[in-house]
Amino acid sequence: MMQHKGKNERTLAANRRGMQSKQKANGLNVVGTDANEDDIRCFTKYTSIPALGSPDEGQLCYTMWISETKWFIKDMRHLLLLKHDRFWRTIMNNPLALESIASFMQNAVPIYLAHRLNSLENKEVAKLYALAHKTVFQIICRLTTPRKSRNTWMDRDHFASIIYEHFIVSVPLIFDFIFVYGRDNRTVSSIVESVVKLQPKYEVDLKLGLQYLINVFASIQGRCESEMHSQNLSEGVLIDLALYVLDCSYNLGSIVAVTSIMRNMCCDVSIEYPISNFYENVVVVLFACIQSANEQSEYLTRLNDARIELLHAFRSIIYVHLDKILQDPANSLLSADKFLGILTECLANNVFVNDYKKHYPIDVDLEILEQAYSSMDKIKLDFIRNAYMASPEEGKNGQKINRRSQPLEKTPMYASDSNETNCRNEAEKAHEVQSHVEYVMDILPHLDPDYVRGVIEHFDCVEKALAVLLEGNADAQIISDSSKDVNDEIVPEDPLDSFYLQTGIDRLNIYDGDEFDVMSKSNVKGTIKKGKGMPGNPKSFKELLDDKRHVNEMRHVYRQYNTLVDVDDDEYDDTFEAMAESESRHIKFAKGARNLVIEESDNDDEAETDDSETESEPHKLAGFDFCENPEIARKRYEERLISKGVKPHAPRETADVRGKPKGQGQDSKVLQNRKNKNEHKASQGNHNRKRGATFKRSRGMIPS
């Protein structure tokens, strides 16, 4: 009985054994016996190989790297030899273990640089790297497998929740694992498929990771466009962009090559057009920039390899639709439409289309669609066939395209020796001239190729030749006769050329330089209307109201009044002056200038004398204001009262009804004021209430 009990306990899943599943303080289920047995080992992180294959490599750097890598391998072997429960407890409780594993994934030698390991002088570097490469792969296999042996295993559901919820196997780790091990190890495919089937949540996360890769393509394209616009790129910046492009291209190529699950995910996120756009606007343009900066750069070959990787990835993704059509034609009409839609969308990228149809049989693919679906839109199918089956020299509109950077070009991109570079043979020079001719023909397709070749060979510089062809100046006459065009036809001299030399104005339409051209002439014939309104008319309603033209018209009439002379003869009637002297000088002054107030002093005799002299003189009346000055009106009212013998009322004192604060007692005067205010409030205040009520009754209304 005891023997059967021990056997059953050994065969139980590790997460179901009471001695191996315990709840920690942080709420995580960890596998282990006791809390004090957690592995607190400090794991060494892997560092990249210093100056891989560069002239700066030194023996001291390699010695330090070898020492650190040996410690790293030792720590990985220690982790690999742990028992099942101890291994998982270390992974979950010691974050340094996963950081050490991730450090190798991040600093491993890329696929496109793996050939340099064998060319190193220190052979021990390659051996240690291969050993570390193998050890980390064994640890990844153990991290993605719930069973170690017959007696040590973990329940699949519990295992799936552990690796997902605790980020033991994450999307970046999967992508790095595919990039490092996916090309030369078939086991990677089964590992990725088992992880996705074990935990379906990884499928959603992996699609988000692919969407992030699409965003990376767009960001690289944006940076390339901004950097290329400045035209001041150094070779170092171009190399950094090239390395970024290589990483993205080989990553995508490894992802689609490892398993069909990843290819289906790529179809779901529609990554096909971003690949073609990235190929056309980043890889090809970057290749041309590096070639113009340094024709001997090794990254030209690397970029051609990246182009082949992108073409292969694109083919692998769209072949998913063809595979569905071949397996089940009756239920794959949607796949056929998607396939044609992808091909139609990619037609905007001429270089990508020409490179793709050279590598893969697009005509065979279209034949499969035509045979599988007889009801397919023939017009759309013929359009795609004609566009992809066009000659390599023409694009979809018959325009010539630039083929100066094709992946299949086998001509040497750079000489292996400096002496051979200085004395290139005639074949290489002819190929270079031909590439320049194709570049110019891509910009100016209407010119004759022989004429363009002659211009390029004469100047030995494609930029200067292109400038001469675009400007059409006197330097072009060195190549051909000025009386003949590119087709040997006699043409007359263009009068616009002489007009440009005389005025410096390039006629862009038939109206440039005529009698109405305000851009070249200050005075033109007629009236040129600019902006709102007609010339001379008010431009706004405010200007219309503020029109002073009638004042200017009558100004000469009023100027004549300046010549009038006031003659005082003997027959002048002084009766009015006698009447005016009887009036108050204040009233008379108010009639003359109503906005002025003069402070007077009755006690000052000299002031009275001056005022009398001033009054005797004729006043020059000022212009009347809109309203009378209230101070003058009040003064006139007081004088009228005084003339009637009525004394003006002094300002009434305000009765104090407020008094002292509450609790301090009030004066009898304050109390009397309050009583008077209460008794007479009907006739005082802001209006006479009794009078108002009487008025309402007289009108037949009811007072409130």
Side-chain angles (χ1 to χ4, degrees):
M1 186 69 181
M2 296 296 294
Q3 294 177 355
H4 290 289
K5 182 178 180 181
K7 183 178 180 180
N8 293 334
E9 186 176 344
R10 286 194 302 269
T11 56
L12 284 175
N15 60 297
R16 294 182 179 177
R17 295 185 217 167
M19 59 173 293
Q20 292 198 2
S21 179
K22 294 200 174 182
Q23 191 76 11
K24 289 294 179 183
N26 56 2
L28 300 178
N29 268 336
V30 295
V31 181
T33 56
D34 296 318
N36 55 5
E37 293 182 4
D38 291 342
D39 195 348
I40 58 174
R41 182 187 183 94
C42 184
F43 289 87
T44 306
K45 292 184 179 180
Y46 177 81
T47 57
S48 59
I49 301 176
L52 182 61
S54 66
D56 300 332
E57 62 185 17
Q59 189 63 30
L60 180 61
C61 296
Y62 282 131
T63 304
M64 295 177 61
W65 181 86
I66 290 172
S67 176
E68 293 178 358
T69 306
K70 286 181 178 180
W71 278 104
F72 172 78
I73 296 173
K74 183 179 179 180
D75 291 340
M76 292 296 101
R77 284 182 173 178
H78 165 77
L79 186 63
L80 193 62
L81 295 176
L82 291 176
K83 293 182 179 181
H84 188 67
D85 56 344
R86 184 76 178 275
F87 173 80
W88 283 104
R89 185 177 67 244
T90 303
I91 291 297
M92 299 181 65
N93 296 336
N94 192 351
L96 296 178
L98 281 178
E99 291 179 5
S100 180
I101 297 171
S103 66
F104 180 81
M105 297 291 188
Q106 297 170 358
N107 297 314
V109 178
I111 304 171
Y112 50 87
L113 296 179
H115 64 281
R116 290 186 176 181
L117 288 173
N118 298 326
S119 62
L120 297 177
E121 296 180 0
N122 196 335
K123 301 301 179 181
E124 189 178 1
V125 174
K127 293 180 181 179
L128 284 177
Y129 178 79
L131 185 58
H133 189 275
K134 179 180 178 181
T135 307
V136 174
F137 179 77
Q138 293 174 350
I139 293 177
I140 296 296
C141 292
R142 189 171 181 180
L143 285 174
T144 56
T145 306
R147 179 186 294 272
K148 181 182 178 183
S149 63
R150 181 180 178 183
N151 297 329
T152 54
W153 55 282
M154 194 181 301
D155 184 69
R156 295 179 63 87
D157 295 337
H158 183 66
F159 174 76
S161 63
I162 285 179
I163 62 174
Y164 184 81
E165 294 176 1
H166 301 300
F167 303 99
I168 296 176
V169 179
S170 59
V171 173
L173 184 67
I174 294 175
F175 281 171
D176 290 339
F177 178 64
I178 293 174
F179 179 67
V180 176
Y181 296 99
R183 295 301 179 99
D184 54 355
N185 198 328
R186 296 182 179 180
T187 313
V188 176
S189 176
S190 60
I191 291 175
V192 175
E193 291 179 358
S194 64
V195 169
V196 175
K197 293 178 181 179
L198 189 65
Q199 179 57 272
K201 294 181 181 179
Y202 279 113
E203 185 173 355
V204 180
D205 295 344
L206 288 172
K207 288 181 180 180
L208 293 176
L210 292 174
Q211 189 66 42
Y212 177 77
L213 185 60
I214 296 176
N215 297 335
V216 170
F217 284 170
S219 65
I220 298 176
Q221 181 177 349
R223 182 183 176 187
C224 286
E225 291 176 354
S226 62
E227 296 286 350
M228 304 301 178
H229 183 71
S230 62
Q231 298 293 333
N232 293 324
L233 289 177
S234 62
E235 188 176 359
V237 176
L238 294 174
I239 289 175
D240 291 340
L241 291 174
L243 291 175
Y244 207 175
V245 169
L246 288 172
D247 286 338
C248 294
S249 303
Y250 277 90
N251 257 310
L252 181 61
S254 301
I255 288 172
V256 299
V258 66
T259 177
S260 60
I261 294 179
M262 300 303 299
R263 290 192 289 271
N264 292 330
M265 292 181 186
C266 291
C267 291
D268 294 339
V269 299
S270 302
I271 201 175
E272 298 90 350
Y273 180 71
I275 292 176
S276 66
N277 200 24
F278 182 76
Y279 185 99
E280 180 85 11
N281 299 322
V282 177
V283 183
V284 176
V285 175
L286 190 61
F287 183 94
C289 291
I290 295 179
Q291 188 179 27
S292 61
N294 183 12
E295 295 184 355
Q296 304 176 9
S297 177
E298 63 174 339
Y299 290 95
L300 297 177
T301 306
R302 302 296 174 212
L303 288 176
N304 271 338
D305 295 340
R307 295 172 71 175
I308 294 179
E309 287 290 331
L310 292 175
L311 290 173
H312 178 69
F314 181 86
R315 175 64 180 179
S316 301
I317 295 171
I318 66 170
Y319 192 77
V320 173
H321 302 295
L322 289 176
D323 192 26
K324 292 180 181 178
I325 295 172
L326 293 174
Q327 292 180 2
D328 189 8
N331 300 323
S332 301
L333 184 59
L334 182 60
S335 298
D337 291 338
K338 287 183 178 180
F339 181 80
L340 291 179
I342 292 170
L343 294 181
T344 306
E345 195 174 16
C346 294
L347 283 175
N349 303 317
N350 290 329
V351 179
F352 175 80
V353 167
N354 283 276
D355 290 348
Y356 177 77
K357 68 184 180 183
K358 288 179 183 179
H359 285 74
Y360 301 102
I362 189 66
D363 53 344
V364 177
D365 299 340
L366 297 178
E367 287 293 334
I368 293 174
L369 291 179
E370 193 172 5
Q371 294 177 6
Y373 302 101
S374 58
S375 61
M376 182 69 63
D377 188 359
K378 299 296 182 181
I379 298 177
K380 185 176 182 180
L381 200 62
D382 292 339
F383 170 75
I384 296 175
R385 180 183 287 108
N386 294 333
Y388 277 86
M389 292 296 104
S391 62
E393 298 290 338
E394 297 180 355
K396 62 178 180 179
N397 295 326
Q399 296 180 355
K400 296 185 179 181
I401 63 172
N402 183 14
R403 297 176 51 220
R404 61 194 178 97
S405 55
Q406 297 291 339
L408 293 181
E409 295 290 342
K410 298 300 181 181
T411 56
M413 306 308 298
Y414 57 92
S416 59
D417 188 70
S418 60
N419 294 330
E420 296 179 4
T421 304
N422 295 331
C423 53
R424 292 182 302 174
N425 53 24
E426 294 297 330
E428 293 177 349
K429 187 175 182 179
H431 171 72
E432 183 180 1
V433 173
Q434 179 63 26
S435 65
H436 291 164
V437 171
E438 292 173 355
Y439 173 70
V440 175
M441 292 301 298
D442 187 21
I443 301 175
L444 304 172
H446 63 283
L447 297 179
D448 185 44
D450 296 334
Y451 173 73
V452 174
R453 184 186 299 276
V455 175
I456 294 175
E457 290 179 351
H458 175 77
F459 291 102
D460 198 17
C461 179
V462 64
E463 288 81 7
K464 188 174 182 180
L466 183 60
V468 169
L469 293 173
L470 288 174
E471 296 175 0
N473 52 19
D475 293 337
Q477 298 179 1
I478 302 176
I479 308 304
S480 61
D481 189 5
S482 61
S483 63
K484 295 183 179 181
D485 66 348
V486 296
N487 296 322
D488 294 336
E489 297 178 358
I490 299 176
V491 293
E493 184 180 358
D494 191 357
L496 299 181
D497 296 338
S498 58
F499 176 79
Y500 176 76
L501 295 176
Q502 294 174 3
T503 62
I505 300 174
D506 188 10
R507 289 181 63 92
L508 302 179
N509 55 60
I510 60 174
Y511 301 108
D512 288 341
D514 59 3
E515 62 271 16
F516 302 106
D517 189 4
V518 295
M519 305 303 294
S520 60
K521 296 181 179 180
S522 58
N523 297 324
V524 296
K525 180 181 179 180
T527 302
I528 305 300
K529 180 179 179 299
K530 295 181 180 180
K532 297 181 179 180
M534 294 299 295
N537 292 345
K539 297 182 179 180
S540 62
F541 184 71
K542 184 177 180 181
E543 291 186 5
L544 180 62
L545 296 179
D546 195 25
D547 190 4
K548 296 295 188 300
R549 287 180 296 177
H550 64 285
V551 177
N552 296 329
E553 293 175 358
M554 299 298 296
R555 190 178 300 277
H556 68 282
V557 178
Y558 291 102
R559 286 177 181 172
Q560 298 177 5
Y561 290 99
N562 295 334
T563 60
L564 297 180
V565 179
D566 188 8
V567 180
D568 191 4
D569 51 3
D570 296 337
E571 296 179 357
Y572 184 75
D573 191 4
D574 297 335
T575 305
F576 179 76
E577 292 183 358
M579 294 174 61
E581 289 178 357
S582 64
E583 296 181 358
S584 174
R585 62 177 177 273
H586 300 287
I587 298 175
K588 185 177 180 181
F589 179 76
K591 291 180 180 179
R594 296 188 177 186
N595 291 330
L596 299 176
V597 178
I598 301 177
E599 296 181 358
E600 304 173 327
S601 176
D602 297 334
N603 299 327
D604 192 354
D605 298 335
E606 294 180 0
E608 290 180 357
T609 305
D610 295 338
D611 291 340
S612 61
E613 293 177 358
T614 305
E615 290 176 0
S616 62
E617 297 178 358
H619 292 280
K620 295 182 180 180
L621 298 179
F624 294 99
D625 292 333
F626 181 75
C627 62
E628 188 178 4
N629 192 344
E631 295 182 355
I632 299 175
R634 286 195 297 268
K635 192 72 174 178
R636 186 168 61 251
Y637 175 72
E638 291 177 1
E639 291 178 354
R640 189 182 301 116
L641 292 178
I642 293 173
S643 63
K644 293 179 181 180
V646 180
K647 185 178 181 180
H649 296 284
R652 181 182 300 177
E653 295 182 0
T654 305
D656 184 14
V657 295
R658 190 170 184 180
K660 298 179 182 179
K662 186 176 180 180
Q664 298 184 9
Q666 305 296 338
D667 297 339
S668 59
K669 188 175 181 179
V670 174
L671 297 176
Q672 184 64 31
N673 292 338
R674 290 180 180 177
K675 181 180 178 181
N676 294 335
K677 180 179 180 182
N678 187 42
E679 291 176 353
H680 301 286
K681 63 182 180 181
S683 60
Q684 295 179 0
N686 55 355
H687 65 282
N688 195 322
R689 300 183 184 180
K690 186 176 181 180
R691 188 183 302 169
T694 305
F695 175 77
K696 284 187 176 182
R697 289 190 183 95
S698 66
R699 297 293 180 178
M701 295 184 291
I702 300 175
S704 57

